[in-house]
Amino acid sequence: MTRTKTVNVNGVDFQLQSVTFSWYSNLTDLFINPSSGRKNTAKYADALFKGCVTAPAEVAKRGLAYFDEQEDISTPSQLVREIENFLAERTKPGKGEEKSAT
């Protein structure tokens, strides 16, 4: 089941959804730790926005271009941190989830 969370960045509410480990791993391999050795933070942020933000719809659809048109550097920088923190949060066993035996 997909987790969701609403975060507020610079007065705007962003609805986030979780992604799979394989999706996130592939994303970091492509843009943060690529074999070429040249990371591409802008493409990483764009993919995070398009993959994890469900609202506002403009951000979910347009990704980083939405912020570029507004010449906004602060909000996407903070939003990337919020998404990364959200994805790193551990879920507590509950509805339909079992506790780990470790």
Side-chain angles (χ1 to χ4, degrees):
M1 176 176 268
T2 303
R3 293 182 302 120
T4 61
K5 180 179 183 178
T6 300
V7 296
N8 187 288
V9 178
N10 291 337
V12 177
D13 286 336
F14 294 91
Q15 180 71 35
L16 308 179
Q17 68 179 0
S18 61
V19 294
T20 64
F21 177 77
S22 58
W23 184 92
Y24 186 72
S25 296
N26 287 333
L27 178 68
T28 58
D29 287 348
L30 286 172
F31 300 123
I32 300 301
N33 300 313
S35 59
S36 67
R38 299 188 67 194
K39 75 178 190 176
N40 191 326
T41 305
K43 286 186 179 181
Y44 170 76
D46 185 56
L48 270 183
F49 299 154
K50 290 176 179 176
C52 298
V53 175
T54 58
E58 299 86 11
V59 176
K61 182 178 180 181
R62 300 190 59 238
L64 192 56
Y66 173 81
F67 299 107
D68 285 347
E69 287 181 359
Q70 297 180 29
E71 298 181 3
D72 183 353
I73 294 173
S74 175
T75 304
S77 297
Q78 291 178 43
L79 184 55
V80 165
R81 285 191 295 276
E82 289 287 345
I83 293 170
E84 290 173 334
N85 289 337
F86 166 68
L87 294 177
E89 289 174 359
R90 289 184 54 155
T91 57
K92 295 180 182 176
K95 299 176 184 177
E97 296 179 3
E98 296 181 23
K99 288 186 179 181
S100 173
T102 57

